[in-house]
Amino acid sequence: MSDRPGYRTVERPALTLADRLVFPAILKGMAITASHIFEKKVTMQYPEEKWTLPEYYRGVPSLVMDDENREKCVACSLCEFVCPPRAITIVPEERPGGGREEKQPAVFDIDMLRCIFCGYCEEVCPEEAIFMSKEYEVVGRSREEMVFHKDRLYEIGGVRKDPHRKWKNADDEARAQGRGHGHGPAQV
Amino acid sequence: MPRLSIDGVEIEVEKGTTVLEAARALRKDVPHYCWHPGLSVAGNCRICLVEVEGMRGVQISCNLPAADGMKVRTSSDAAVKARADVMELLLINHPLDCPICDQAGECKLQEYSFELGSGRSRFDVPKNHKRKAVEFSDRVVFDAERCIVCTRCVRFTKEITGTDELTVVQRGDRSEIDTAPGKSLTGNYQMNVVDICPVGALTSADFRFRSRVWFMEQTRTVCSSCSRGCNVLAGTRWNRVLRLVPAENAEVNRWWMCDRGRLDIREPAAEDRLAGARLMRGGVQVGVEPGEAVAALAAALAEARAAGGAGLFGLVSARLTTEEAWLARLLLRDHAGSPNLDLLPRTGEADGFLETADRNPNTEGVRAAGIAPAVGGFGLDGFRAAAEAGRVKWAVLVGEDLSGRPEDLAALAKVPFTAFIGSHDRGAAATATVVLPGATWAEKDGVLVNGDGRAQRIRPLVRCPGDARPESRILLDLLAAAGAAGAPDPSSSPAFLVKAMAAAVPALAGLTLGGLGERGAPLRGRTGVARVGTGVEV
Ligand code: SF4
Ligand code: SF4
Ligand code: SF4
Ligand code: SF4
Ligand code: FES
């Protein structure tokens, strides 16, 4: 019993005989468990069974190729800039082939230990080259393994049809106007 | 002197001043592409439109002389609308290149487009396409689609270098810039066109695609490739210097710098940087803790001092900061008693514009700090004969490895004890008794004095590799280990070192690091072109 100010003493409820015997309570619990055996199953046998993910699901960010098998990313580095935890590292280089894209990533790494799956990279990309995939099983045995390099990111991302063909259209237009890429005489 | 009002603020200006310049004097930046403070007025881009009371329509402010009683409005509705229209016209054929364009982030077209432009184009016809990735030279790449034909580059080659290599070809929306057929941009100043191009039409082959500009740290410092000491803005990332561009300084380089200085950014990241100290033991160099190497060198200097110092030769680089040279003098002359101190001259041909004949950045400062043979002593010229004659027992090289100078290296081989404090594993580093890893210009904070006697501050841009440290730190440790009287404390800050040096060296009296500000200041009593200083304590 305490009479310290601010404290209140609570009476213990008196136990009935049934309470004291314990077994009725155990039987009651088992009855509840048993009744579930006949109900519809709601658990899922992961990893054999998997969720169908909703459209808006944000899994690991990934890079995509266009339907002509070209790297869509031009290493503009906006995703690297916008990424809140700085998970992305890009080293740009000149793109061979003389197309208008001119630039491509020599290195494109995403550190999945840092990535918070916010989707900003997809949001900011002016080339529609990076997408949040449905991949969520990110495991690795070392920190290095958790840094996904370009080839792995493309493997996850796969191919996406490019409805805009921004650079290709410009290349085609220029060709139609008789003006190519690279050194040549000024236009007439 | 005309007195006019700009956005309600009155200002009196010199006769001949343009409205745009008057507005800039009031810190109102009227948009401009073709106007450049270092070039003649072309008035072709029309983005600098302002409204002037009593004049019909809108006027280009870059070519409008300020007149008495003029009432200018830089951001009236009519002016802003007119500028927005100019933007729309400029963007009709402009490619959507920002993601791959090096200028993005420091592009005036982006800036004004953000201010004035609309996100949509009203033109749905195919764009007029032009040449891309044209090599104007091995240093400058041109993209005709991005060019807004402001002619800044054309005027640069006409007015500044006089090489007259670029011109506008074609007319109307087909206009673009070109060199004469079969010709390319030439000379040691061609890369300045990259800086002045307000858009991404001219890009640097060296910097192309290396990094987006917004990732780089920008530090104002001084070029170390000749005694002009051009002010530069260094862009660094990944602990590397990726780019140097000129920073305006009316007393030194105005808006320009030479290509040699600009491209001289590889040494700090060279493969053969020294990262650890070494000591010669039984004929082979072994890696040691820096403290051990410092102790070994201090012990040798104690011997030299005991022998009177005449057998000690010190070569102190004119690429070091003034404080470092002063500390070297304290150690080698004032403490160890050597009369034989000198620097290694580097010369080339002065080109009459910026690049000077003296290719050391700090000859003036190092000399002022007292690096020169004393009476009875010998300099670098006398060193060889003295070494051959066996009169040199100790040689200390600070910041100079003598690579590419076989005779000097051969003479050095005759010296029983040699110490090398420097940044690269070259020349004397291979044979020195003591090797201490030093720093390059990109890793130091200190004062350089250019050929006109102007003191300017260089700033550290990157970190040294491994155990390497700026020579000032190493010399301070050596002074402490040698127990030199009157030496500054080893933990002295760069600013304190300058103060201590200024108190000790009459030629540098009054110098403070803070007093140099961004643009440096002439040393006291110096005459020369560089007289108009800022914030000097003299
Ligand atoms: S999803 Fe967010 S955190 Fe992950 S890489 Fe993209 S921007 Fe960075
Ligand atoms: S924002 Fe898009 S195009 Fe730019 S670097 Fe990232 S993925 Fe590549
Ligand atoms: S290349 Fe650049 S500087 Fe030269 S005219 Fe075109 S936009 Fe102006
Ligand atoms: S003129 Fe001299 S100081 Fe200026 S950039 Fe060239 S080398 Fe550097
Ligand atoms: S800045 Fe005035 S017309 Fe170009």
Side-chain angles (χ1 to χ4, degrees):
Chain A
M1 281 261 168
S2 164
D3 42 30
R4 273 163 61 196
Y7 284 76
R8 187 167 60 88
T9 311
V10 182
E11 290 293 330
R12 270 180 184 281
L15 296 180
T16 63
L17 181 65
D19 290 337
R20 288 176 193 227
L21 283 178
V22 177
F23 282 102
I26 293 177
L27 290 176
K28 194 169 150 197
M30 287 177 73
I32 292 172
T33 308
S35 75
H36 279 278
I37 293 174
F38 306 103
E39 277 179 18
K40 196 167 156 272
K41 201 165 79 181
V42 290
T43 48
M44 181 180 264
Q45 296 304 307
Y46 180 83
E48 289 80 9
E49 271 179 77
K50 284 180 184 167
W51 276 101
T52 329
L53 297 167
E55 243 337 281
Y56 51 77
Y57 186 81
R58 299 199 305 259
V60 305
S62 65
L63 291 172
V64 302
M65 296 271 183
D66 73 3
D67 40 334
E68 289 164 46
N69 238 345
R70 287 142 54 108
E71 232 177 309
K72 290 186 82 179
C73 171
V74 296
C76 76
S77 305
L78 287 185
C79 52
E80 182 177 9
F81 181 70
V82 81
C83 176
R86 306 228 168 158
I88 305 179
T89 308
I90 296 169
V91 179
E93 68 179 359
E94 185 131 22
R95 186 188 292 237
R100 268 179 159 65
E101 300 99 317
E102 286 189 357
K103 201 162 75 151
Q104 67 185 21
V107 172
F108 197 120
D109 290 349
I110 303 183
D111 186 342
M112 294 302 173
L113 289 175
R114 284 187 163 215
C115 177
I116 54 171
F117 307 97
C118 63
Y120 280 12
C121 47
E122 173 177 334
E123 196 72 27
V124 80
C125 181
E127 303 294 329
E128 303 191 354
I130 190 164
F131 286 90
M132 302 308 282
S133 69
K134 300 256 187 307
E135 182 67 46
Y136 53 85
E137 291 166 319
V138 201
V139 289
R141 269 163 291 194
S142 65
R143 289 185 172 269
E144 292 72 49
E145 237 179 273
M146 293 300 283
V147 178
F148 286 21
H149 302 306
K150 198 168 94 164
D151 43 356
R152 178 117 180 244
L153 295 170
Y154 275 119
E155 208 175 287
I156 300 171
V159 169
R160 283 227 180 190
K161 186 156 170 48
D162 175 6
H164 311 301
R165 298 182 86 252
K166 179 171 123 188
W167 306 103
K168 277 286 249 181
N169 281 350
D171 273 335
D172 294 346
E173 260 173 34
R175 214 163 293 129
Q177 292 171 14
R179 287 149 212 189
H181 195 80
H183 215 319
Q187 310 314 325
V188 214
Chain B
M1 296 230 292
R3 194 176 176 80
L4 71 165
S5 104
I6 299 175
D7 295 338
V9 187
E10 296 252 325
I11 182 171
E12 197 168 312
V13 292
E14 292 286 329
K15 200 162 179 296
T17 309
T18 61
V19 170
L20 185 135
E21 285 162 340
R24 279 165 67 88
L26 288 173
R27 302 204 167 264
K28 281 182 197 302
D29 200 13
V30 180
H32 54 273
Y33 293 116
C34 67
W35 183 82
H36 186 283
L39 302 171
S40 64
V41 173
N44 60 29
C45 76
R46 323 303 287 183
I47 197 72
C48 62
L49 294 167
V50 294
E51 215 182 343
V52 181
E53 217 174 271
M55 291 176 103
R56 233 184 68 199
V58 282
Q59 311 291 326
I60 54 168
S61 58
C62 70
N63 202 13
L64 183 67
D68 215 28
M70 223 177 211
K71 285 197 168 55
V72 180
R73 284 193 294 161
T74 64
S75 39
S76 68
D77 291 348
V80 172
K81 169 78 173 52
R83 279 187 224 144
D85 290 346
V86 170
M87 272 315 296
E88 190 170 13
L89 292 171
L90 281 174
L91 292 177
I92 294 176
N93 286 311
H94 200 79
L96 288 166
D97 271 359
C98 298
I100 56 160
C101 177
D102 277 343
Q103 190 84 0
E106 50 184 21
C107 174
K108 282 192 179 278
L109 208 55
Q110 278 186 329
E111 280 164 30
Y112 302 153
S113 189
F114 191 75
E115 262 170 48
L116 304 160
S118 109
R120 258 175 207 294
S121 170
R122 288 191 283 168
F123 295 83
D124 51 9
V125 288
K127 294 194 180 214
N128 185 11
H129 290 288
K130 293 179 185 166
R131 305 175 302 161
K132 295 177 87 72
V134 180
E135 283 168 11
F136 270 176
S137 72
D138 56 354
R139 296 183 202 155
V140 178
V141 181
F142 174 63
D143 188 305
E145 286 189 345
R146 296 180 197 157
C147 173
I148 58 166
V149 205
C150 70
T151 70
R152 273 185 176 187
C153 55
V154 175
R155 281 173 283 147
F156 179 83
T157 63
K158 207 188 279 301
E159 296 162 14
I160 306 297
T161 58
T163 46
D164 223 341
E165 287 149 329
L166 297 176
T167 184
V168 183
V169 293
Q170 302 307 328
R171 284 181 296 175
D173 68 352
R174 301 232 169 147
S175 314
E176 58 175 85
I177 305 302
D178 206 357
T179 53
K183 290 278 185 330
S184 63
L185 266 176
T186 57
N188 197 19
Y189 294 92
Q190 47 175 300
M191 292 178 81
N192 287 293
V193 299
V194 173
D195 309 324
I196 58 172
C197 180
V199 300
L202 294 169
T203 50
S204 148
D206 184 62
F207 180 67
R208 206 164 148 85
F209 304 150
R210 294 281 307 276
S211 169
R212 310 249 68 189
V213 294
W214 55 77
F215 288 122
M216 295 193 299
E217 218 172 300
Q218 309 275 0
T219 314
R220 195 171 167 128
T221 183
V222 175
C223 171
S224 284
S225 296
C226 86
S227 69
R228 176 72 60 190
C230 291
N231 290 206
V232 298
L233 209 54
T236 47
R237 192 184 179 198
W238 302 308
N239 199 39
R240 290 192 67 152
V241 183
L242 296 183
R243 176 176 87 164
L244 294 185
V245 292
E248 189 267 335
N249 189 335
E251 318 304 326
V252 183
N253 55 316
R254 306 182 75 213
W255 301 271
W256 326 116
M257 76 183 289
C258 81
D259 294 358
R260 191 177 62 83
R262 186 193 297 260
L263 295 173
D264 208 357
I265 52 175
R266 309 265 185 267
E267 288 295 67
E271 287 286 320
D272 57 351
R273 276 301 296 272
L274 278 170
R278 300 196 299 240
L279 269 185
M280 189 69 88
R281 284 208 182 119
V284 279
Q285 285 181 338
V286 292
V288 293
E289 286 298 311
E292 215 176 309
V294 165
L297 179 47
L301 288 172
E303 283 173 36
R305 176 180 154 99
L312 172 63
F313 173 64
L315 185 64
V316 179
S317 177
R319 288 174 166 174
L320 297 176
T321 66
T322 315
E323 305 89 284
E324 287 171 333
W326 173 65
L327 292 173
R329 194 202 75 178
L330 285 187
L331 181 71
L332 302 174
R333 171 158 300 155
D334 300 4
H335 176 70
S338 168
N340 319 311
L341 297 187
D342 207 355
L343 51 77
L344 176 69
R346 277 189 184 77
T347 48
E349 217 168 286
D351 64 5
F353 184 28
L354 293 177
E355 207 182 17
T356 58
D358 179 4
R359 299 293 161 84
N360 276 323
N362 197 23
T363 307
E364 293 265 336
V366 171
R367 288 277 186 229
I371 302 300
V375 185
F378 53 83
L380 182 59
D381 292 332
F383 162 68
R384 257 186 258 163
E388 299 291 343
R391 284 190 284 123
V392 187
K393 299 277 185 289
W394 302 271
V396 178
L397 311 182
V398 191
E400 293 291 0
D401 52 36
L402 292 175
S403 55
R405 299 176 68 93
E407 287 100 350
D408 288 331
L409 283 173
L412 201 63
K414 303 250 163 27
V415 180
F417 180 97
T418 55
F420 170 67
I421 307 171
S423 52
H424 292 80
D425 199 352
R426 292 176 194 158
T431 52
T433 323
V434 175
V435 176
L436 276 157
T440 65
W441 58 274
E443 292 134 11
K444 302 183 173 177
D445 198 344
V447 177
L448 301 181
V449 183
N450 80 356
D452 293 319
R454 187 182 189 81
Q456 305 192 98
R457 181 175 184 179
I458 53 163
R459 288 174 183 272
L461 310 171
V462 292
R463 295 182 303 278
C464 297
D467 286 335
R469 287 179 307 156
E471 278 78 353
S472 55
R473 298 292 123 191
I474 299 172
L475 289 163
L476 281 167
D477 283 356
L478 281 165
L479 284 162
D489 188 84
S491 64
S492 302
S493 70
F496 182 83
L497 277 186
V498 174
K499 220 163 131 190
M501 172 177 72
V505 182
L508 301 169
L511 192 68
T512 63
L513 206 49
L516 293 180
E518 274 199 332
R519 285 146 189 267
L523 290 180
R524 171 160 50 182
R526 285 300 303 245
T527 49
V529 297
R531 282 311 310 180
V532 192
T534 45
V536 227
E537 291 182 11
V538 287

